[in-house]
Amino acid sequence: RSVQFYVPFPAVLGANAYDFSVVIKNVNGVGDNDPLDNSGTATFNITGVEPKPGRKVVVEEGTGTWCTWCPRGAVMMEYIAEQYPDLAVPIAVHNAQTSWPDPMQNATYNSGMLTMIGGFPGGRVEREADIDPLLGNPNFEQSLIEHLTQPAKALVSQNVTWDAATRKVDVTTSLQFVEAMNGDLRIAVVYLEEGVKGTTQYYGQVNAYSGGGQGPMGGFENLPSPVPAAQMTYNHVAREIVGGFTGAAGSVPATNAAGSVMSYTSSYTVPAAYNINNMHAVSMLIDAASGRIINAES
C-alpha cells in the first residue's frame, strides 16, 4: 500500500536540496519479523520562486454536478484557494446537462468555457492551455506558479460599491499600464459566490471516487454517489460575467502608453437568490485577440 505524508520543511528562494531517511515502524499495528527492509532514503530537489508584484492569476474550471470526475476539480480548486489566497483567483464555471441540469450554470460563461475545454473537469490558467486540474502535467498548481513568475504588464485595481436597497453593484476597474499595450483590450467583471447550497436533487454531486476504488480524493472517497445536496457546498461559483466572456468592447482604449492609467465602470444587479455577503467581484483584463487574461484583481 502507499501512504502520503508531508515533510515540514519550508522551501526558500532558489535551489533547495533535501535528503531524507525514511523508516517504517509499527507495521499493521504489530511487530515486524524482518525490520532490516523497513528503511530507505529519498532525495528531493525543489526550486523556490517568488511571485512578481501585482500579479493575480485567474484559474477557470469547467465543472458540473452531473460530472462523475469533477470532485477532483473541486478538491484542486479548494487547495489553490487555501494555499495561494492572495495570488490565485479560482472560478468554477458550471455546466448543465439535459439529464442532470446543474442549477448553478451561467449560460454566457458556460458557452465561453465550452469553446476552451475538451472535457470535464478541465480548465485554463489565464486562458492559456486546456489542462486537467489535478492529474495534468502541468496541473492547475504547476501552471499557476509558472504564471505568477511572469511580470505584470498592467496592474489591476477595483472599487466596488453596493446599494442594498436596489441590490445594484458598481465596479470601477482601474488599470495602470506597466508597459505599452495596444490592441483590442477589454475588461470583464465576474461575480463569484462562496458557500452555495441547494435542496433540490441536482445540487447533489455525482462522484466517481465513491467507495475508494479510484484512490483518495479529498474525502469524496468516503461519500456516496451522487453526494446528496444536503452534504454539498460549492465555492467559487461564477454567477455572472459582466461584459461577456471576452470582455466589454471599448472598455479599454486601443492605445496605452507605459505608465498611463484608465478606469472603466460596470454595473450589475444581484438577484435576490444570491447571498451578497458571500460574494466578491473579479476584474479581469483580457486580450481579445489572443483570448488570454493578462491580469486580474479580486
Side-chain angles (χ1 to χ4, degrees), residues 28-256:
N28 296 326
V30 297
D32 186 1
N33 58 9
D34 185 9
L36 299 179
D37 63 355
N38 290 356
S39 63
T41 60
T43 299
F44 297 91
N45 294 297
I46 302 169
T47 300
V49 299
E50 185 172 15
K52 296 297 184 182
R55 288 288 274 131
K56 285 198 177 177
V57 175
V58 172
V59 181
E60 294 169 304
E61 179 215 9
T63 187
T65 59
W66 56 269
C67 170
T68 60
W69 300 106
C70 284
R72 75 168 176 265
V75 168
M76 188 52 149
M77 294 286 270
E78 288 306 303
Y79 172 79
I80 63 173
E82 293 171 0
Q83 297 296 318
Y84 305 89
D86 298 318
L87 300 170
V89 184
I91 300 175
V93 183
H94 283 254
N95 169 272
Q97 298 286 300
T98 302
S99 59
W100 192 279
D102 186 325
M104 291 169 283
Q105 174 182 276
N106 174 272
T108 299
Y109 216 150
N110 174 61
S111 295
M113 282 297 291
L114 289 176
T115 67
M116 296 201 314
I117 61 175
F120 293 83
R124 298 194 178 210
V125 176
E126 294 192 322
R127 296 187 182 172
E128 197 164 63
D130 181 11
I131 57 178
D132 185 277
L134 182 57
L135 302 181
N137 186 18
N139 60 27
F140 277 177
E141 183 181 30
Q142 293 165 332
S143 184
L144 167 66
I145 292 171
E146 176 189 345
H147 283 75
L148 286 171
T149 63
Q150 299 168 1
K153 297 180 179 181
L155 303 177
V156 183
S157 60
Q158 62 182 13
N159 183 64
V160 181
T161 61
W162 158 250
D163 186 326
T166 63
R167 296 187 65 84
K168 181 184 176 186
V169 180
D170 293 315
V171 175
T172 298
T173 305
S174 298
L175 305 177
Q176 179 180 350
F177 291 92
V178 178
E179 59 183 62
M181 296 191 70
N182 304 323
D184 189 3
L185 305 175
R186 304 183 182 188
I187 290 170
V189 177
V190 177
Y191 289 83
L192 304 180
E193 185 175 358
E194 312 293 337
V196 176
K197 295 182 70 68
T199 58
T200 64
Q201 172 188 357
Y202 300 115
Y203 278 97
Q205 177 65 59
V206 181
N207 177 22
Y209 295 94
S210 179
Q214 301 297 328
M217 188 51 63
F220 277 95
E221 68 276 13
N222 301 319
L223 296 172
S225 181
V227 183
Q231 294 180 250
M232 286 300 304
T233 300
Y234 298 91
N235 292 318
H236 328 299
V237 177
R239 290 304 201 181
E240 188 58 80
I241 182 164
V242 176
F245 187 73
T246 58
S251 53
V252 181
T255 302
N256 303 278

